[in-house]
Amino acid sequence: MNILSVNAGSSSLKFQMYEMPAEQVLISGVFERIGMEGSFYTIKLNGEKVEKKVELKDHKKAFELLVKELMDNKIVDTLDDIAGIGHRIVQGGSYFDKSVIASEDVIAKIDELSKLAPLHNPAAIVGIRAAEAVIPGAVQTVVFDTAFHQTMPEENYLYALPYEWSQDYQIRRYGAHGTSHKYISQKMNEILDRSDTKLITCHIGNGASISAVLNGKCINTSMGLTPNAGLIMGTRCGDIDATIVPYMMEVLGLSAKEMDTVLNKQSGLLGISGVSSDSRDIEAGIKEGNRRCLLAQKMYVRRIVDYIAKYYVELGGCDAIVFTAGVGENSIPVRRQVVEALDVLGVKLDEEKNNIRGSIQKISTSDSSIKVYVIPTDEELMIARDTYELINS
Ligand code: ADP
């Protein structure tokens, strides 16, 4: 059975097609600059990457070209060969604790939640509508970034703000990257061959979050109402004293929108270093003796360690710490510094094993009190799995 895993942004459409249940990737690609000048798409097939410049008026055009590529490359013969399309949705609010079929009622709820994810939820709906129009026979499903975190207890998801705000305005912690945290925690449990585990999952990419996962269920996560909370990220500040916001708005005469841009686009590694949001550039800056790059990395690592320590206590111990995403899978120095800072808990790094990028690897020593792993994430596969299960249920 062929399943498409789709991630629609406001001007992009990423896709991956799977043969299920074999979980084999048949073709993948991305359409970029949809509705803009200079639009193009890239297709990856049999290890080869091809880029094509085309006019992409809208997402529907992108789906039409996607179907053409599937047919031209003999991945499918007819549209009926596409059984399901799973869409990634950033914000599912308190409505969704699992993936569901994209009924009209579900789409209306995703639309209602657009106020919490103004950049992402409307774009995902555009993607669903375009897929419906071009491939009407496929079952459409929605997979939420927030769903895995819905098992958090109330004391962890509420903010100490007026209680009514949580009831009247849905102000609470929802978290994000849930599909990734779920994938790596399941994979970790498979490796440990147990499900009664205490895991700390670290999704450290350009956006970054850490979750505490007890017996396969999320009990706490570092992102909040929005992805701005928690860790220091590429351009997001993470946790700060909230009163800085109104204070600096007054000092600099910033509007709410301008302040939001500072907190989400001009802070984090970029804000501290003044150099870049990319940890590769920060590492290069450190080699050249740039003091602010060194400071940015120290602060970045400190915050990751703070969350691991917090969740270690909350979980009452830990069986494994897992690193994933761009930095977690690739940055040897960030992983080293995090594990070294956990020395007091008896966590020990195997330097040689840590010398890897992008593959599953245990990086702790055999006498380490907590196992430490690198597990590359695969959110697209999770979307395909959930879609396959929904079709067959
Ligand atoms: P997102 O999905 O949040 O956009 P990714 O998980 O793809 O982000 O992570 C992208 C980030 O990963 C880059 O900004 C960079 O900081 C980091 N990264 C990628 N490769 C390396 C590397 N070899 N060494 C250090 N950091 C890396």
Side-chain angles (χ1 to χ4, degrees), residues 14 177 203-208 234 269 277-281 283 300 324-333 357 377 379:
K14 282 192 206 144
H177 296 142
H203 178 111
I204 319 282
N206 188 29
L269 287 177
S277 60
D278 192 309
S279 61
R280 286 165 291 201
D281 298 334
E283 285 166 22
Y300 185 84
T324 199
V327 180
E329 290 168 31
N330 296 298
S331 178
I332 295 161
R357 293 205 161 99
T377 194
E379 289 153 296

Short mmCIF file of all heavy atoms in Angstrom, two decimals, residues 14 177 203-208 234 269 277-281 283 300 324-333 357 377 379, ligand 1:
data_model
loop_
_atom_site.label_atom_id
_atom_site.label_comp_id
_atom_site.label_asym_id
_atom_site.label_seq_id
_atom_site.Cartn_x
_atom_site.Cartn_y
_atom_site.Cartn_z
N LYS A 14 6.72 19.52 1.49
CA LYS A 14 7.68 18.41 1.54
C LYS A 14 6.89 17.12 1.48
O LYS A 14 5.81 17.04 2.09
CB LYS A 14 8.44 18.43 2.87
CG LYS A 14 9.54 19.44 2.92
CD LYS A 14 10.41 19.19 4.15
CE LYS A 14 11.06 20.48 4.57
NZ LYS A 14 11.21 20.68 5.97
N HIS A 177 7.25 19.11 18.43
CA HIS A 177 8.15 18.00 18.07
C HIS A 177 7.66 16.66 18.62
O HIS A 177 8.44 15.71 18.77
CB HIS A 177 9.58 18.20 18.62
CG HIS A 177 10.31 19.38 18.09
ND1 HIS A 177 11.13 20.15 18.87
CD2 HIS A 177 10.36 19.91 16.85
CE1 HIS A 177 11.66 21.12 18.14
NE2 HIS A 177 11.20 21.00 16.91
N HIS A 203 15.39 16.55 21.35
CA HIS A 203 15.30 16.90 19.93
C HIS A 203 15.97 18.26 19.78
O HIS A 203 15.38 19.30 20.07
CB HIS A 203 13.83 16.95 19.49
CG HIS A 203 13.65 17.34 18.05
ND1 HIS A 203 13.20 16.48 17.08
CD2 HIS A 203 13.86 18.53 17.42
CE1 HIS A 203 13.14 17.10 15.92
NE2 HIS A 203 13.53 18.36 16.10
N ILE A 204 17.24 18.25 19.37
CA ILE A 204 18.01 19.49 19.33
C ILE A 204 18.34 19.81 17.87
O ILE A 204 19.32 19.30 17.31
CB ILE A 204 19.33 19.37 20.14
CG1 ILE A 204 19.13 18.61 21.47
CG2 ILE A 204 19.95 20.74 20.37
CD1 ILE A 204 18.50 19.38 22.57
N GLY A 205 17.50 20.63 17.26
CA GLY A 205 17.75 21.06 15.88
C GLY A 205 17.82 22.57 15.89
O GLY A 205 18.22 23.18 16.89
N ASN A 206 17.38 23.19 14.81
CA ASN A 206 17.28 24.64 14.79
C ASN A 206 16.24 25.06 15.83
O ASN A 206 16.46 25.93 16.66
CB ASN A 206 16.90 25.07 13.37
CG ASN A 206 16.98 26.55 13.23
OD1 ASN A 206 17.76 27.22 13.91
ND2 ASN A 206 16.14 27.10 12.37
N GLY A 207 15.09 24.35 15.82
CA GLY A 207 14.15 24.41 16.95
C GLY A 207 14.55 23.27 17.87
O GLY A 207 15.06 22.26 17.39
N ALA A 208 14.36 23.42 19.18
CA ALA A 208 14.84 22.37 20.08
C ALA A 208 13.91 22.18 21.28
O ALA A 208 13.37 23.16 21.80
CB ALA A 208 16.24 22.71 20.56
N GLY A 234 18.23 28.14 17.71
CA GLY A 234 18.98 28.90 16.70
C GLY A 234 18.70 30.39 16.82
O GLY A 234 19.61 31.20 16.98
N LEU A 269 21.06 31.45 19.70
CA LEU A 269 22.48 31.43 19.31
C LEU A 269 22.84 32.67 18.51
O LEU A 269 23.90 33.26 18.70
CB LEU A 269 22.78 30.18 18.46
CG LEU A 269 22.83 28.82 19.16
CD1 LEU A 269 23.06 27.71 18.13
CD2 LEU A 269 23.91 28.78 20.23
N SER A 277 22.80 31.49 13.56
CA SER A 277 21.90 30.62 14.31
C SER A 277 22.33 29.16 14.17
O SER A 277 21.80 28.29 14.82
CB SER A 277 20.49 30.76 13.75
OG SER A 277 20.49 30.39 12.38
N ASP A 278 23.28 28.92 13.28
CA ASP A 278 23.67 27.55 12.94
C ASP A 278 24.84 27.11 13.81
O ASP A 278 25.88 27.77 13.84
CB ASP A 278 24.06 27.52 11.45
CG ASP A 278 24.20 26.11 10.93
OD1 ASP A 278 24.91 25.30 11.56
OD2 ASP A 278 23.59 25.81 9.88
N SER A 279 24.67 25.97 14.49
CA SER A 279 25.71 25.56 15.43
C SER A 279 27.04 25.24 14.73
O SER A 279 28.08 25.30 15.35
CB SER A 279 25.24 24.40 16.30
OG SER A 279 24.93 23.30 15.51
N ARG A 280 26.99 24.93 13.42
CA ARG A 280 28.25 24.73 12.69
C ARG A 280 29.06 26.03 12.63
O ARG A 280 30.28 26.02 12.80
CB ARG A 280 27.98 24.24 11.26
CG ARG A 280 27.56 22.80 11.21
CD ARG A 280 26.96 22.45 9.88
NE ARG A 280 25.67 23.11 9.69
CZ ARG A 280 24.74 22.70 8.84
NH1 ARG A 280 24.97 21.68 8.07
NH2 ARG A 280 23.59 23.33 8.75
N ASP A 281 28.35 27.15 12.41
CA ASP A 281 29.05 28.45 12.36
C ASP A 281 29.56 28.83 13.75
O ASP A 281 30.61 29.46 13.88
CB ASP A 281 28.10 29.55 11.86
CG ASP A 281 27.62 29.27 10.44
OD1 ASP A 281 28.34 28.58 9.71
OD2 ASP A 281 26.51 29.73 10.09
N GLU A 283 30.50 26.71 16.04
CA GLU A 283 31.69 25.88 16.29
C GLU A 283 32.90 26.45 15.53
O GLU A 283 34.02 26.49 16.05
CB GLU A 283 31.42 24.42 15.91
CG GLU A 283 30.55 23.74 16.95
CD GLU A 283 29.95 22.40 16.51
OE1 GLU A 283 30.50 21.76 15.57
OE2 GLU A 283 28.92 21.99 17.09
N TYR A 300 23.93 27.64 25.66
CA TYR A 300 23.11 26.65 24.94
C TYR A 300 23.20 25.28 25.64
O TYR A 300 22.18 24.65 25.93
CB TYR A 300 23.68 26.58 23.52
CG TYR A 300 22.97 25.74 22.52
CD1 TYR A 300 21.88 26.23 21.82
CD2 TYR A 300 23.44 24.46 22.21
CE1 TYR A 300 21.26 25.47 20.84
CE2 TYR A 300 22.83 23.69 21.24
CZ TYR A 300 21.74 24.20 20.56
OH TYR A 300 21.13 23.45 19.58
N THR A 324 18.64 13.64 19.26
CA THR A 324 18.23 13.56 17.85
C THR A 324 18.16 14.95 17.23
O THR A 324 18.41 15.94 17.91
CB THR A 324 16.87 12.82 17.72
OG1 THR A 324 16.72 12.37 16.37
CG2 THR A 324 15.69 13.72 18.07
N ALA A 325 17.82 15.01 15.93
CA ALA A 325 17.70 16.24 15.11
C ALA A 325 19.08 16.82 14.77
O ALA A 325 20.11 16.28 15.21
CB ALA A 325 16.81 17.27 15.77
N GLY A 326 19.07 17.90 13.97
CA GLY A 326 20.29 18.42 13.36
C GLY A 326 21.50 18.50 14.28
O GLY A 326 22.56 17.96 13.96
N VAL A 327 21.35 19.16 15.43
CA VAL A 327 22.48 19.30 16.35
C VAL A 327 22.69 17.99 17.12
O VAL A 327 23.82 17.50 17.24
CB VAL A 327 22.24 20.48 17.33
CG1 VAL A 327 23.41 20.64 18.28
CG2 VAL A 327 22.00 21.78 16.56
N GLY A 328 21.61 17.42 17.63
CA GLY A 328 21.71 16.19 18.42
C GLY A 328 22.33 15.03 17.65
O GLY A 328 23.07 14.23 18.21
N GLU A 329 22.05 14.96 16.35
CA GLU A 329 22.59 13.85 15.55
C GLU A 329 24.01 14.14 15.06
O GLU A 329 24.75 13.22 14.75
CB GLU A 329 21.69 13.60 14.32
CG GLU A 329 20.34 13.00 14.68
CD GLU A 329 19.35 13.01 13.52
OE1 GLU A 329 19.78 12.92 12.36
OE2 GLU A 329 18.14 13.13 13.79
N ASN A 330 24.34 15.44 14.97
CA ASN A 330 25.59 15.79 14.28
C ASN A 330 26.66 16.51 15.09
O ASN A 330 27.83 16.48 14.71
CB ASN A 330 25.27 16.67 13.06
CG ASN A 330 24.47 15.92 12.03
OD1 ASN A 330 24.92 14.92 11.49
ND2 ASN A 330 23.25 16.37 11.81
N SER A 331 26.27 17.20 16.16
CA SER A 331 27.28 18.01 16.85
C SER A 331 28.00 17.20 17.94
O SER A 331 27.48 16.99 19.03
CB SER A 331 26.67 19.27 17.46
OG SER A 331 27.70 19.96 18.15
N ILE A 332 29.19 16.78 17.60
CA ILE A 332 30.01 16.00 18.54
C ILE A 332 30.34 16.84 19.78
O ILE A 332 30.18 16.37 20.90
CB ILE A 332 31.27 15.46 17.81
CG1 ILE A 332 30.80 14.46 16.73
CG2 ILE A 332 32.28 14.83 18.76
CD1 ILE A 332 31.80 14.18 15.64
N PRO A 333 30.76 18.13 19.61
CA PRO A 333 31.10 18.92 20.80
C PRO A 333 29.91 19.23 21.71
O PRO A 333 30.05 19.19 22.94
CB PRO A 333 31.69 20.23 20.25
CG PRO A 333 31.58 20.18 18.79
CD PRO A 333 31.18 18.82 18.36
N ARG A 357 28.10 10.77 13.27
CA ARG A 357 27.06 11.72 12.83
C ARG A 357 25.94 10.96 12.17
O ARG A 357 26.18 10.12 11.29
CB ARG A 357 27.63 12.70 11.81
CG ARG A 357 28.67 13.63 12.40
CD ARG A 357 28.76 14.92 11.61
NE ARG A 357 29.39 15.93 12.43
CZ ARG A 357 30.67 16.26 12.35
NH1 ARG A 357 31.46 15.67 11.49
NH2 ARG A 357 31.16 17.18 13.14
N THR A 377 16.01 10.95 14.00
CA THR A 377 14.55 10.96 14.05
C THR A 377 13.96 10.67 12.67
O THR A 377 14.66 10.74 11.65
CB THR A 377 14.04 12.31 14.61
OG1 THR A 377 12.66 12.16 14.94
CG2 THR A 377 14.20 13.45 13.61
N GLU A 379 10.24 11.69 11.45
CA GLU A 379 8.86 12.13 11.63
C GLU A 379 7.97 11.70 10.46
O GLU A 379 6.81 11.38 10.64
CB GLU A 379 8.82 13.66 11.80
CG GLU A 379 9.40 14.10 13.14
CD GLU A 379 9.97 15.50 13.14
OE1 GLU A 379 10.97 15.73 12.42
OE2 GLU A 379 9.45 16.36 13.86
P1 ADP B 1 14.83 22.13 12.01
O1 ADP B 1 14.11 20.88 11.54
O2 ADP B 1 14.40 22.59 13.38
O3 ADP B 1 14.87 23.24 11.01
P2 ADP B 1 17.19 20.47 11.97
O4 ADP B 1 16.83 19.38 12.92
O5 ADP B 1 17.27 20.13 10.52
O6 ADP B 1 16.33 21.75 12.22
O7 ADP B 1 18.59 21.04 12.43
C1 ADP B 1 19.26 22.03 11.72
C2 ADP B 1 20.46 22.49 12.54
O8 ADP B 1 21.32 21.38 12.78
C3 ADP B 1 21.33 23.49 11.81
O9 ADP B 1 20.86 24.80 11.98
C4 ADP B 1 22.66 23.28 12.51
O10 ADP B 1 22.70 24.12 13.65
C5 ADP B 1 22.63 21.85 13.00
N1 ADP B 1 23.59 20.98 12.31
C6 ADP B 1 23.44 20.34 11.14
N2 ADP B 1 24.56 19.66 10.81
C7 ADP B 1 25.47 19.90 11.81
C8 ADP B 1 26.82 19.49 12.06
N3 ADP B 1 27.47 18.71 11.23
N4 ADP B 1 27.41 19.95 13.19
C9 ADP B 1 26.74 20.74 14.05
N5 ADP B 1 25.47 21.15 13.86
C10 ADP B 1 24.85 20.74 12.77
#
